[in-house]
Amino acid sequence: MKELKVREVGYYVPSEAGVPHPDASLARVVVRFTGPAELMPWNSSKSGITYSHPAFMAVRGRIIDFISYFSQVSRRTKHQRDEIIAQASGIMEELDPAQASSGRKKILPRPPSTKRPSRFEQVMEDNSRIVRDQPWTLGLVEAMGLVDVIGDQRRFKTRNRAALMLLDSNFEIALKEFIVHRKDLFPAHKYTNAFLANLMTSRTNVIKDVASKMTLPQTLLTKVSHYYDLRNNLTHQRATVEVSDRDVEDYRKVIQRVLRTLFKLKFPSD
C-alpha cells in the first residue's frame, strides 16, 4: 500500500509522527513482506492493510519508531532539502528479523537542532580549519564573537564604547600576529622582540610595514584611522563621545576585511 498516513503507523498521534504535513514529506518508511499470499497482512480484496494481522503487528512498533524519528528529522531540515535530495548514494544496513522486531526501543541519532547557529558559532565553524592550522588566529576570531556579546547587553548604555575599543584593539593585535607569524615577510633576525616592541609603539609604522607586504585599500585604512581617532577622543577628550550602533557595525566590517586579507578568515558577509 502506498503512502499510508493513518494512526496505525504513527500519524495523528502528537508523541509519534504527528499530523501529516509537507514539512515532514521527506520521511518515508518502506516495508516489504515476502512469503505466501495467505500470510500477507492485506484485506480480502487486497486493496488495503488489515492492521490487526499478526504480520503487521509484528513490525508496527518499529514502523512507528522510524516514521516518528524521520518525520522529526524532515521537519528540522526543511531548509536544507536541496542538499539532502542531492545525496544520490548511501549504504543500507540489514538487520536480523529478530532484532528488527524486538520490543526494545530503537536508539537513533539525536535529530538536528532547530536552533540556527549564532553569528559567532557560524564564524567558528567556517574558520575551524584555519584556527586549527593557525592557532594564533583563535583570539582574533573570538574577539569578533565578544563584540556580539557586548552588543547583546542592552542594559549597558555605553556598550558601543566597549565594542569600539575591542574592535580597534583587535586590529592592532591582528597586525602584530601577522608580523610575528609571517617570517617569510618579516624575518626574525630583523623583527626581534626589541625591534617589534619599539615598532608597536607607533601604529602608523606598523600599518606602513604591513601595507608594504599586503594590499590594504586606502579607503579601508582611512576608516581605520577615523575609528582610531574616535577611540582616542573617548580616552583623551574632556567631552564624552557617543558611539552609535552604525559605528560599531561599520567598524566590524572593516576589521573583518583586515582579518580576511591577512589570515583568510571567513565571515557571514563574505
Side-chain angles (χ1 to χ4, degrees):
M1 301 298 108
K2 185 179 180 181
E3 297 182 358
L4 293 176
K5 297 179 181 179
V6 294
R7 293 183 63 90
E8 286 78 7
V9 295
Y11 285 104
Y12 300 101
V13 180
S15 61
E16 295 173 356
V19 178
H21 189 277
D23 286 353
S25 63
L26 287 183
R28 291 286 189 276
V29 173
V30 179
V31 182
R32 292 192 178 95
F33 287 100
T34 58
E38 62 271 17
L39 297 182
M40 294 297 101
W42 51 44
N43 58 24
S44 58
S45 64
K46 300 181 181 179
S47 60
I49 298 293
T50 298
Y51 297 111
S52 60
H53 193 284
F56 177 79
M57 293 302 294
V59 297
R60 180 177 182 270
R62 190 59 70 229
I63 291 173
I64 292 175
D65 280 347
F66 283 122
I67 198 64
S68 300
Y69 173 77
F70 286 105
S71 290
Q72 185 180 37
V73 170
S74 178
R75 290 187 176 96
R76 294 189 178 188
T77 57
K78 61 183 179 181
H79 299 297
Q80 302 166 262
R81 287 174 181 262
D82 290 343
E83 300 173 27
I84 294 171
I85 294 173
Q87 303 302 315
S89 62
I91 299 175
M92 182 179 294
E93 180 182 359
E94 295 188 8
L95 300 180
D96 181 88
Q99 181 181 358
S101 61
S102 169
R104 297 177 62 185
K105 184 174 178 62
K106 183 69 175 175
I107 305 300
L108 295 164
R110 184 184 298 274
S113 173
T114 55
K115 181 182 177 183
R116 290 183 177 273
S118 67
R119 175 158 58 177
F120 173 65
E121 290 171 334
Q122 188 63 55
V123 168
M124 287 300 298
E125 180 179 344
D126 291 344
N127 293 293
S128 59
R129 182 186 61 79
I130 295 176
V131 169
R132 182 180 66 248
D133 295 342
Q134 304 175 42
W136 52 89
T137 62
L138 175 61
L140 303 174
V141 175
E142 289 193 339
M144 303 305 288
L146 286 171
V147 173
D148 284 339
V149 173
I150 293 171
D152 290 338
Q153 305 305 310
R154 297 293 172 179
R155 56 181 175 163
F156 293 104
K157 303 300 182 185
T158 59
R159 62 186 179 279
N160 286 340
R161 180 194 305 181
L164 180 79
M165 291 180 174
L166 178 56
L167 285 167
D168 197 67
S169 293
N170 208 32
F171 171 72
E172 290 190 355
I173 295 171
L175 298 183
K176 185 266 294 181
E177 295 290 2
F178 185 71
I179 291 173
V180 168
H181 292 95
R182 286 299 302 269
K183 293 182 173 60
D184 55 323
L185 301 177
F186 307 95
H189 71 270
K190 176 182 177 182
Y191 288 82
T192 62
N193 289 342
F195 182 88
L196 185 60
N198 182 63
L199 177 66
M200 294 304 296
T201 62
S202 172
R203 180 168 172 140
T204 300
N205 288 339
V206 175
I207 294 174
K208 182 179 178 180
D209 271 23
V210 173
S212 70
K213 306 296 184 181
M214 298 294 290
T215 301
L216 296 175
Q218 187 55 50
T219 53
L220 182 146
L221 294 178
T222 299
K223 278 195 173 185
V224 168
S225 178
H226 165 73
Y227 289 114
Y228 180 58
D229 289 342
L230 184 57
R231 172 186 175 175
N232 286 338
N233 289 342
L234 285 168
T235 307
H236 304 299
Q237 281 195 354
R238 181 186 298 271
T240 299
V241 179
E242 293 296 328
V243 180
S244 68
D245 291 343
R246 182 184 177 281
D247 288 329
V248 172
E249 189 58 29
D250 187 44
Y251 201 20
R252 169 203 287 279
K253 292 177 181 177
V254 169
I255 302 307
Q256 287 179 176
R257 286 187 62 188
V258 172
L259 297 178
R260 181 170 67 247
T261 300
L262 300 184
F263 305 100
K264 300 188 184 306
L265 293 169
K266 301 174 184 177
F267 298 92
S269 59
D270 291 353

